[in-house]
Amino acid sequence: MTVHPPEPDSTALMAELAAARAELAQLRTAQEQVAEREAELVAARDAAERIARTLSEALADRVRIDAAGRGRGSGLLKGRQKPVTRDEEAQLELIRGSELWDAAWYLRTYPDVIELGEDPALHFVRHPYYPVRHPSPRFDVRQYLIDHPDAVEQRINPLVHFLLTPESQGADAYPPKPR
């Protein structure tokens, strides 16, 4: 005689199916709420980044005006720095023309430069090594000096050294970001 397992209770199965469907509906609702919150956070982050860019550009414009000596009043930069040499002038032109230089970021990151009353680009040209200061969040001076010790040996500003190499062509960061 063959023994067959008892047939499942259809009422119990229907109740289990209904509970699973209800749980699935709750999970979908929760997923939609998380997606909505994520969209809100992304929008807030994007707005904050736009505001930060606008403020950085305004600060950079102010720095350029003050560095050029066209500012009114006391000015952001107090002009207590030594005269710029021809070599420094060439380096400044190269750095200021690079997307790897961000004057506003430099001043926000190193507020002592404002207190010193120095042009941020000239400060970076004159003091690139100690303490190590980055020209922007896209250029890691420490890593560059590790990878290119000849820049220290030749006493060349790391960003200037980089900008004078073929490696810099089309680069938007150092070290390059993996693609």
Side-chain angles (χ1 to χ4, degrees), residues 26 29 35 37 39-40 45 79-80 90 101 103 114 125-126 133-134 155 165-167 172 176:
Q26 287 176 340
T29 301
R37 181 65 178 141
E40 290 171 2
R45 181 203 64 207
R80 292 184 278 159
W101 168 250
I114 295 173
V125 164
R126 290 180 174 169
R133 296 179 187 228
H134 306 291
R155 303 190 54 76
T165 67
E167 182 180 10
D172 60 354

Side-chain angles (χ1 to χ4, degrees), residues 102-150:
D102 185 338
W105 180 89
Y106 192 83
L107 289 173
R108 284 192 317 271
T109 306
Y110 310 113
D112 60 304
V113 176
I114 295 173
E115 292 170 15
L116 292 170
E118 292 186 355
D119 169 11
L122 184 58
H123 183 272
F124 180 70
V125 164
R126 290 180 174 169
H127 310 285
Y129 303 118
Y130 186 78
V132 172
R133 296 179 187 228
H134 306 291
S136 75
R138 295 180 312 276
F139 189 86
D140 187 334
V141 169
R142 284 186 186 94
Q143 187 60 52
Y144 189 79
L145 293 174
I146 289 168
D147 295 344
H148 302 86
D150 56 312

Side-chain angles (χ1 to χ4, degrees), residues 148-163:
H148 302 86
D150 56 312
V152 177
E153 292 167 6
Q154 297 170 11
R155 303 190 54 76
I156 298 176
N157 180 286
L159 181 56
V160 170
H161 187 270
F162 177 69
L163 294 173

Side-chain angles (χ1 to χ4, degrees), residues 20-113:
R21 286 183 176 154
E23 185 179 353
L24 182 59
Q26 287 176 340
L27 290 172
R28 283 189 183 134
T29 301
Q31 181 184 22
E32 289 170 2
Q33 290 172 343
V34 167
E36 288 172 8
R37 181 65 178 141
E38 180 184 24
E40 290 171 2
L41 291 172
V42 166
R45 181 203 64 207
D46 292 347
E49 286 176 353
R50 281 192 304 277
I51 290 168
R53 263 193 313 276
T54 301
L55 290 172
S56 288
E57 290 167 5
L59 181 57
D61 287 344
R62 176 63 190 266
V63 165
R64 281 191 287 278
I65 290 168
D66 282 353
R70 295 186 303 259
R72 294 190 177 133
S74 64
L76 181 63
L77 304 173
K78 300 173 189 133
R80 292 184 278 159
Q81 54 204 20
K82 297 176 190 170
V84 179
T85 67
R86 285 186 181 170
D87 184 48
E88 288 172 336
E89 190 62 50
Q91 291 181 44
L92 288 169
E93 186 175 335
L94 186 64
I95 286 174
R96 288 179 178 143
S98 169
E99 291 188 22
L100 296 174
W101 168 250
D102 185 338
W105 180 89
Y106 192 83
L107 289 173
R108 284 192 317 271
T109 306
Y110 310 113
D112 60 304
V113 176

